[in-house]
Amino acid sequence: MQKSKSRSIVFKIAKYFGITFAVLLGLLFLTPIVFEDQIKEQIKKTANERLSAELNYSDVSVSFFRHFPSLTLTLNNLSLNGSAPYKNEKFITASEVSFGINVASLIFSKSVKIDQIYLSDSFINVKVNPEGEANYNIYKSQSQAPESKDSTDTALKLERIEILNSKIVYDDKSTKVHFDAFNFNYLGKGDLNKAVFDLYSKAKIEKLNIVYDNEPYLMNKKIDADLITKVNVNSLSFFFEQNNLKINQLLVDFKGKFDILKDGYNMDLVLKSDNSDLYDVFTAFPPKYITWLSKTDLKGNTNLLLTVKGKYITSENIAPDLNLDVKVGNGFVNYNKSPIPVSNLNLEIKTKVPSLNPDLLTVDAKNVSLNINQDYIKSKFFLKGVDAPEINADFKAKIDLEKLTKALGIPDIELKGALIVDIKADGKFDQKNKLFPITKGNIDLEKGYLKTKYYPNPITNIVVKSKIDNQKGTFDDLKVKIKPIQFTFEGKPIFVEADLNNFNDLVYDIKAKGELDVNRIYKVFSQKGLDLDGFIKADLALKGKQSDAEKGNYSKLHNKGTLELRNIGIASEFLPKKFIIKEGIFRINQDKMSFNNFLAAYGQSDFKMNGYLQNVFNYATSHTGILKGSFNVSARYINVDEFMSNTAPNTSVTQNSASKTETKTGDNKQTGVIIIPTNLNLQLLANAQKVNFDKLNLQNATGTLTMKNGKLTMQNTGFNLIGCHVNMNANYQAVTPQKANFDYAIKASDFDIKRAYNEIDVFRKMASAAEKAQGIVSLDYQLKGRLNGNMEPVYPSLVGGGILSVKDVKIRGLKMFNAVSKKTNNESMKNPDVSKVDIKTTVKNNIMTIERFKFKFAGFRPRIEGTTSLDGKLNLKMRLGLPPLGIFGIPLTVTGTQDNPKVKVGRKTEDLEETKDTE
């Protein structure tokens, strides 16, 4: 009986439970269906009212089962555009976005309350342009959002945000900060509807990249974060109260605040890692160190402190202060089980960069030391500033370089030798004011050896014995003794010994002897830019004083020896290409360096030189030294255009990604004028079979060229051009890399006017009326003016004048004479033949003034005078003297342009507007 009752009770419970479960299950299915239209309508309404950006999605569904037990509205394949100026670019895309809905609000309230957001497989693309305008300002302010006409509204009262398997790209060009977060998972909880709320967050990132100013700082890092952030929506400020980060294996405490301002940011951030293991610190380093770490036994107690404090406002050039403190104690490094590891590694370095300004940099390294058995490095230094830094340093070392490189695992280099260093320095290094730190010390190396992966053979037998001493802190008290530096490379020994004193007026005693293959020694260090079989052979003894060389007291100098060069490339800031000495021997005697049959090349140009250079040592060792010389230069071909300095003024850099940059250059690219260095005083007697200059092909060019004080002077220069001989004297001087002044006087006898028009660009522009002419002319002209960055004349700057002598010239099809013919009803005026006439002209302010000249043809006696502009406008007076003697004539005016001349009977003309040179 009792059993029967028990069964009945159990059955009833099961029955009621089953019914209840069935009802609940039914409600789970029915509730979304009943309220689906209401939810969809209010979501669409809210999006239109609250968002200023374009929102699109493929379809909408309402269900309890996507994020059970929450009732969620899901938008599939969502895309949300950004705010201005990125309205046409995607801000957020996601395969699925779900909004959690408060069920009670559906039943008991007229408003639909959203308290959860879920993003799956999303891409959040944040962009900020250089002016600080961002794409995330999509939420309308209350003043922008329209007032609702009824009480029914959708309330956004968030308590949970969850992001799964997503990607974030943040690209802020105003602060030059870029980061990528891949496989980003985030869970945030808090009452996000309040103006001020606490946000509890957990975040995991499989791969994080951070780049600042195109330089990578963190790459491919794994992040695990547990954060508490106080958010103030009204002021857009974030206060990081408790934030524990894990970057790979490094635990970091992150605190501070971050305010978003109208035109930038205000920050006070502290990133700290106390009592961390040195191994864990290296796991947060860039990827290239991870391979090294996998083979290295690394230990040590580490403390890190990074602070960033202040405003970052690009438009006002305001930046925060950055401080970085690093401390490592009892460090131990052993790469690849080296038999002798690095021990007692200690670092204590404080770095400050006020306003992120490198010129204000200070580095205070109180201790940088290590041991390898009994060997040691002990140092400390203080550095303030960059251009004229204050230095206080004490460096001592007695170290076996082979043991050090093996224990540290320094890649791609094999280094040996016993290095002993003992140097102290205290003071300011200021080259402008001739200050040098008070310094005393030695650097000695015995049995040195260097081999890299770039070249199969090593540099051996390296010996360095050097001493530096400066007791007063000035250039004139600086003494450097090198006794000696020597090494052997490819079986050939090099020996250099030097005693240098008083760097204000350098007193030198240098001996150098040996042979050096520049190309091979260059490959040891694998530098780019010199692909030559460069070879130097020296046997020099140089002794003297810099001031004696400057003043010409050559009897007090004792410079002798030879220097043989072959295939050496000489780069200069003034030239876009390398000047290559193919072969030559310098013979040095006192201050003169003589050379015979020197063969050289520059681009397509070739040179053979004989002569001498003077003041070479002073020129090479100081900024004020002037290189003097006189030599003959002969060449088969010289391409002057290749000497132009390559400057592109319109250059901008845009960052496309964390690791890729693209350089864009403006269309108005300028090559730059030829710059003559001011520290040259050279005279060249030149002879070139062919010269190419600004589209001119000169033949058999000869002349004397002088370069002095940055000015090039050409005297008695002759060449053949378009079949006639030309004599010219000229002066040229660059003012800036994009501007040069020139003047020249030129005489050319009996040249073909048709060839001149077709082959000489300047002639074509200044004498465009010669387009339809045929015959022989001569020119005697003087002109001065300015050249632009393309070595082209600036026409308003041209001033000068001269005579164009016309002999047996036929004018065919010239529009001006066609117009005169039509106006006077005289067919013979169309194609006049001119036997001989001298045309005098002057040029100023973009106007060429033509003095009155007469000529005869077919019984007519025309007289022409007036002005033309260098861009083709006409203002000419013409009198057409009628046969037989020209006593009677028709007055005409010719205006308009050379392409469209306007001929009128009469004397009234219109003055052409002058274009004055603004410079």
Side-chain angles (χ1 to χ4, degrees):
M1 185 74 176
Q2 189 68 29
K3 281 186 178 182
S4 177
K5 280 187 176 183
S6 297
R7 286 178 183 172
S8 176
I9 291 170
V10 171
F11 178 75
K12 285 180 180 180
I13 292 172
K15 178 181 176 182
Y16 292 133
F17 180 80
I19 292 170
T20 303
F21 179 75
V23 171
L24 288 173
L25 191 62
L27 287 173
L28 290 175
F29 280 102
L30 290 173
T31 301
I33 297 171
V34 172
F35 293 103
E36 183 172 15
D37 291 340
Q38 178 187 350
I39 295 169
K40 289 181 181 179
E41 184 63 30
Q42 296 212 22
I43 289 294
K44 185 182 292 184
K45 181 181 178 182
T46 301
N48 290 332
E49 290 178 354
R50 301 291 176 86
L51 300 178
S52 61
E54 180 184 346
L55 175 68
N56 293 299
Y57 47 87
S58 61
D59 59 87
V60 184
S61 62
V62 181
S63 172
F64 274 104
F65 298 103
R66 283 195 184 253
H67 298 278
F68 187 82
S70 300
L71 173 63
T72 56
L73 172 120
T74 300
L75 307 178
N76 293 311
N77 300 316
L78 175 137
S79 68
L80 176 63
N81 283 12
S83 54
Y86 297 100
K87 283 193 171 185
N88 297 322
E89 298 182 38
K90 298 290 186 293
F91 169 39
I92 298 175
T93 59
S95 65
E96 177 184 301
V97 178
S98 298
F99 300 92
I101 298 167
N102 186 303
V103 178
S105 70
L106 288 173
I107 302 172
F108 303 109
S109 174
K110 291 184 178 181
S111 64
V112 179
K113 295 180 180 179
I114 297 172
D115 55 13
Q116 300 175 30
I117 291 180
Y118 303 87
L119 272 79
S120 297
D121 300 311
S122 63
F123 175 33
I124 303 171
N125 187 25
V126 180
K127 287 188 172 185
V128 184
N129 68 11
E131 289 72 38
E133 299 171 312
N135 69 339
Y136 50 72
N137 297 316
I138 60 169
Y139 192 74
K140 290 181 181 177
S141 64
Q142 291 302 312
S143 60
Q144 291 176 301
E147 293 291 335
S148 182
K149 292 181 180 179
D150 54 50
S151 59
T152 305
D153 202 355
T154 304
L156 192 65
K157 297 184 177 181
L158 292 177
E159 296 176 359
R160 181 186 182 96
I161 298 176
E162 190 167 350
I163 301 173
L164 300 172
N165 191 31
S166 297
K167 175 184 175 183
I168 298 177
V169 171
Y170 179 91
D171 188 12
D172 187 343
K173 288 184 169 57
S174 68
T175 60
K176 301 179 183 178
V177 173
H178 182 106
F179 72 75
D180 308 309
F182 298 93
N183 198 5
F184 175 65
N185 291 275
Y186 175 83
L187 175 62
K189 295 180 180 180
D191 191 348
L192 279 66
N193 190 57
K194 292 181 179 179
V196 181
F197 60 88
D198 288 335
L199 179 64
Y200 297 83
S201 308
K202 288 184 179 292
K204 285 189 177 182
I205 302 172
E206 285 299 316
K207 186 168 71 171
L208 175 68
N209 301 325
I210 297 179
V211 175
Y212 174 71
D213 199 12
N214 294 333
E215 289 293 330
Y217 283 78
L218 290 179
M219 299 298 291
N220 301 325
K221 298 305 167 192
K222 187 175 182 179
I223 306 295
D224 194 345
D226 193 353
L227 318 170
I228 300 176
T229 308
K230 185 178 289 294
V231 181
N232 187 326
V233 177
N234 293 331
S235 62
L236 281 178
S237 66
F238 304 87
F239 183 71
F240 306 104
E241 294 179 323
Q242 178 183 327
N243 297 277
N244 298 315
L245 297 176
K246 189 177 182 183
I247 306 173
N248 283 0
Q249 297 182 38
L250 178 64
L251 293 173
V252 177
D253 182 39
F254 177 48
K255 293 182 179 180
K257 70 173 183 177
F258 187 89
D259 301 329
I260 299 178
L261 308 177
K262 181 182 178 181
D263 49 3
Y265 309 97
N266 185 26
M267 58 190 83
D268 186 356
L269 305 176
V270 179
L271 191 73
K272 183 167 63 173
S273 179
D274 288 335
N275 297 317
S276 299
D277 190 272
L278 185 59
Y279 181 91
D280 294 339
V281 173
F282 268 81
T283 65
F285 274 41
K288 63 181 180 180
Y289 293 101
I290 303 303
T291 304
W292 172 84
L293 192 59
S294 66
K295 297 181 180 180
T296 305
D297 186 6
L298 193 61
K299 300 173 186 176
N301 180 265
T302 306
N303 291 280
L304 302 172
L305 176 63
L306 172 67
T307 65
V308 183
K309 185 174 184 178
K311 292 182 179 180
Y312 201 133
I313 303 175
T314 305
S315 60
E316 299 179 23
N317 201 26
I318 296 174
D321 300 334
L322 183 145
N323 297 328
L324 175 63
D325 297 350
V326 178
K327 192 172 183 179
V328 177
N330 298 316
F332 176 91
V333 185
N334 189 358
Y335 177 77
N336 205 22
K337 299 180 180 179
S338 171
I340 306 177
V342 169
S343 60
N344 296 324
L345 173 63
N346 293 282
L347 303 174
E348 188 175 351
I349 304 173
K350 294 179 181 290
T351 304
K352 296 181 179 181
V353 191
S355 300
L356 294 181
N357 185 348
D359 293 333
L360 303 177
L361 166 76
T362 61
V363 180
D364 187 2
K366 295 182 182 299
N367 185 11
V368 178
S369 60
L370 59 83
N371 284 100
I372 298 181
N373 274 0
Q374 301 302 314
D375 286 356
Y376 61 87
I377 293 176
K378 295 178 181 178
S379 67
K380 60 180 180 179
F381 64 89
F382 175 84
L383 176 71
K384 183 178 182 180
V386 175
D387 290 336
E390 294 179 21
I391 302 169
N392 188 329
D394 186 353
F395 189 91
K396 292 182 174 66
K398 180 181 177 296
I399 202 82
D400 186 316
L401 295 176
E402 182 178 15
K403 293 176 181 177
L404 180 66
T405 55
K406 286 184 176 180
L408 294 178
I410 298 176
D412 306 327
I413 189 170
E414 191 176 345
L415 193 59
K416 299 178 184 179
L419 177 66
I420 298 176
V421 181
D422 187 355
I423 288 183
K424 288 185 178 181
D426 186 10
K428 194 169 189 176
F429 177 78
D430 186 343
Q431 193 169 9
K432 182 179 179 181
N433 294 306
K434 306 297 183 182
L435 299 177
F436 195 92
I438 295 172
T439 307
K440 188 175 184 62
N442 303 283
I443 300 176
D444 295 338
L445 176 65
E446 294 282 351
K447 299 179 181 178
Y449 176 100
L450 173 64
K451 184 177 182 295
T452 69
K453 69 174 184 177
Y454 307 108
Y455 191 75
N457 298 326
I459 301 172
T460 61
N461 301 324
I462 305 171
V463 176
V464 177
K465 288 189 178 298
S466 64
K467 182 178 181 179
I468 183 169
D469 185 59
N470 186 348
Q471 297 300 315
K472 296 180 181 179
T474 59
F475 268 37
D476 57 11
D477 194 54
L478 178 60
K479 304 176 183 66
V480 178
K481 292 186 178 181
I482 301 171
K483 296 197 174 183
I485 291 178
Q486 65 184 54
F487 60 88
T488 301
F489 183 65
E490 294 289 0
K492 296 177 180 178
I494 302 292
F495 177 91
V496 178
E497 191 175 272
D499 192 345
L500 309 175
N501 297 280
N502 186 1
F503 280 66
N504 263 341
D505 181 11
L506 188 63
V507 179
Y508 58 90
D509 186 353
I510 302 171
K511 297 181 179 66
K513 191 171 184 177
E515 300 179 20
L516 186 62
D517 191 317
V518 174
N519 178 240
R520 292 179 177 177
I521 194 76
Y522 199 81
K523 285 181 179 177
V524 171
F525 302 99
S526 186
Q527 299 296 313
K528 295 180 180 179
L530 183 61
D531 298 318
L532 304 168
D533 293 327
F535 178 88
I536 298 175
K537 184 177 180 180
D539 188 356
L540 303 173
L542 310 174
K543 188 175 182 179
K545 184 188 289 188
Q546 187 173 338
S547 59
D548 288 333
E550 288 178 353
K551 295 174 183 177
N553 299 325
Y554 304 132
S555 60
K556 296 182 179 181
L557 304 178
H558 302 279
N559 300 326
K560 290 187 178 297
T562 59
L563 187 68
E564 182 179 348
L565 308 178
R566 188 164 68 241
N567 292 336
I568 298 295
I570 302 173
S572 167
E573 60 181 306
F574 303 107
L575 300 174
K577 296 178 181 290
K578 277 190 172 66
F579 189 87
I580 302 170
I581 299 174
K582 293 182 177 180
E583 62 179 74
I585 298 177
F586 285 109
R587 301 190 186 278
I588 298 167
N589 184 19
Q590 304 300 60
D591 195 50
K592 185 175 287 188
M593 183 180 285
S594 304
F595 52 97
N596 296 314
N597 294 332
F598 238 70
L599 301 181
Y602 181 86
Q604 298 174 347
S605 307
D606 65 271
F607 305 92
K608 183 178 180 180
M609 297 180 288
N610 294 281
Y612 70 89
L613 294 172
Q614 205 165 356
N615 202 34
V616 176
F617 191 79
N618 184 36
Y619 170 77
T621 57
S622 73
H623 295 291
T624 58
I626 296 175
L627 182 64
K628 303 175 183 179
S630 177
F631 43 95
N632 297 334
V633 178
S634 61
R636 289 174 298 177
Y637 176 66
I638 300 176
N639 186 353
V640 178
D641 294 340
E642 290 184 322
F643 286 81
M644 295 183 189
S645 59
N646 289 318
T647 56
N650 300 324
T651 303
S652 61
V653 178
T654 57
Q655 180 179 313
N656 291 337
S657 66
S659 59
K660 182 179 179 182
T661 59
E662 180 182 350
T663 302
K664 295 182 178 180
T665 305
D667 295 332
N668 299 322
K669 183 178 180 181
Q670 295 181 321
T671 56
V673 299
I674 300 170
I675 296 177
I676 309 299
T678 57
N679 54 352
L680 295 181
N681 184 357
L682 303 174
Q683 188 177 54
L684 297 81
L685 181 61
N687 183 341
Q689 296 177 24
K690 184 178 179 182
V691 178
N692 180 68
F693 171 60
D694 194 24
K695 302 177 184 176
L696 296 178
N697 293 314
L698 313 181
Q699 306 289 333
N700 299 321
T702 61
T704 301
L705 280 74
T706 302
M707 284 181 278
K708 187 176 182 180
N709 298 327
K711 186 175 182 179
L712 173 67
T713 301
M714 302 170 63
Q715 295 175 314
N716 300 320
T717 301
F719 53 85
N720 293 325
L721 177 66
I722 61 170
C724 79
H725 188 72
V726 179
N727 287 312
M728 184 168 69
N729 293 308
N731 294 294
Y732 169 92
Q733 188 167 26
V735 181
T736 72
Q738 299 299 320
K739 182 170 66 176
N741 295 328
F742 74 94
D743 65 80
Y744 69 83
I746 187 170
K747 287 185 178 182
S749 302
D750 297 338
F751 64 87
D752 188 320
I753 194 170
K754 189 70 174 177
R755 285 190 64 183
Y757 184 88
N758 291 336
E759 299 179 26
I760 303 175
D761 188 58
V762 173
F763 184 86
R764 184 161 55 250
K765 289 180 179 178
M766 294 189 63
S768 55
E771 180 182 6
K772 305 294 184 180
Q774 300 177 21
I776 303 299
V777 298
S778 297
L779 181 68
D780 187 351
Y781 220 83
Q782 297 82 42
L783 202 64
K784 66 178 181 178
R786 194 174 72 254
L787 302 175
N788 64 19
N790 289 326
M791 292 294 288
E792 296 171 341
V794 178
Y795 290 111
S797 74
L798 299 181
V799 177
I803 299 175
L804 179 70
S805 298
V806 177
K807 183 170 65 176
D808 297 330
V809 172
K810 298 179 180 180
I811 301 173
R812 297 291 181 265
L814 188 65
K815 290 182 179 180
M816 187 183 82
F817 284 106
N818 285 343
V820 172
S821 173
K822 185 176 180 180
K823 193 71 178 179
T824 58
N825 294 316
N826 194 309
E827 191 70 21
S828 62
M829 285 297 297
K830 280 188 177 181
N831 301 308
D833 293 344
V834 182
S835 59
K836 187 175 181 181
V837 63
D838 291 339
I839 304 172
K840 296 181 180 180
T841 63
T842 57
V843 176
K844 189 177 182 181
N845 296 335
N846 205 40
I847 300 294
M848 177 179 285
T849 301
I850 304 168
E851 293 186 19
R852 180 180 294 183
F853 68 93
K854 304 176 183 178
F855 60 96
K856 300 177 183 179
F857 76 94
F860 291 93
R861 300 193 179 196
R863 185 181 73 196
I864 299 175
E865 61 186 302
T867 57
T868 68
S869 67
L870 297 184
D871 56 1
K873 295 177 183 177
L874 303 174
N875 180 31
L876 300 175
K877 292 180 181 179
M878 185 173 180
R879 180 182 183 276
L880 185 60
L882 301 175
L885 300 174
I887 298 173
F888 301 99
I890 303 172
L892 302 170
T893 62
V894 184
T895 58
T897 66
Q898 291 174 1
D899 292 330
N900 185 23
K902 297 176 182 179
V903 178
K904 295 180 181 179
V905 177
R907 294 183 174 86
K908 188 176 181 180
T909 62
E910 300 174 3
D911 289 341
L912 297 179
E913 183 179 353
E914 294 184 350
T915 304
K916 294 186 178 181
D917 184 17
T918 57
E919 299 188 33

